């Protein structure tokens, strides 16, 4: 499995925070911050849009580093991804991701 597949199966290489970080793209940071702030009704600023991937070393968004229950669960269980968890099919947290992004499930299988 590629390193840039998140614990939940999303592809970090397709995330705007990751793309803004690796390309040092301030315009993308600003656009992403505005969108995420609106979608989450939260004060998300361009300086918050920095991430090198959920499972990798380096900077992460505040959400990914501190608030993501999926990431926290996988770390506590010592799992490389949710795909290793025997409870993945019954998990409501990661199930919500799979419902909206079926490719995430496929990423964990491949």
């Amino acid at each position: 499995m590629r390193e840039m597949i998140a614990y939940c199966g999303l592809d970090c290489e397709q995330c705007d925070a990751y793309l803004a970080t690796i390309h040092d793209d301030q315009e993308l940071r600003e656009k992403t911050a505005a969108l995420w702030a609106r979608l989450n009704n939260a004060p998300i600023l361009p300086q918050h849009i920095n991430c090198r991937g959920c499972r990798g070393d380096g900077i992460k968004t505040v959400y990914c580093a501190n608030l993501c229950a999926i990431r926290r669960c996988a770390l506590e269980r010592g799992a490389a991804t949710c795909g290793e968890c025997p409870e993945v099919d019954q998990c409501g947290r990661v199930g919500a991701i799979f419902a909206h992004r079926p490719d995430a499930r496929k990423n964990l299988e491949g």
Side-chain angles (χ1 to χ4, degrees), residues 26-109:
Q26 188 61 23
E27 185 176 326
L28 182 55
R29 279 190 188 96
E30 291 170 6
K31 176 182 163 191
T32 303
L35 174 63
W36 290 5
R38 189 176 75 248
L39 292 174
N40 295 289
N41 194 29
I44 300 171
L45 303 173
Q47 59 263 35
H48 299 145
I49 307 299
N50 288 291
C51 191
R52 292 223 171 251
C54 168
R55 294 190 307 134
D57 293 333
I59 194 166
K60 294 168 189 10
T61 65
V62 171
Y63 179 81
C64 293
N66 302 310
L67 302 173
C68 179
I70 294 171
R71 183 175 183 270
R72 187 173 35 242
C73 178
L75 288 170
E76 288 171 1
R77 292 174 181 249
T81 69
C82 293
E84 291 183 356
C85 181
E87 299 171 28
V88 68
D89 292 326
Q90 295 81 34
C91 179
R93 289 180 190 139
V94 77
I97 300 289
F98 297 162
H100 296 284
R101 296 287 304 272
D103 59 316
R105 177 65 176 216
K106 290 178 184 163
N107 287 338
L108 293 178
E109 294 169 354

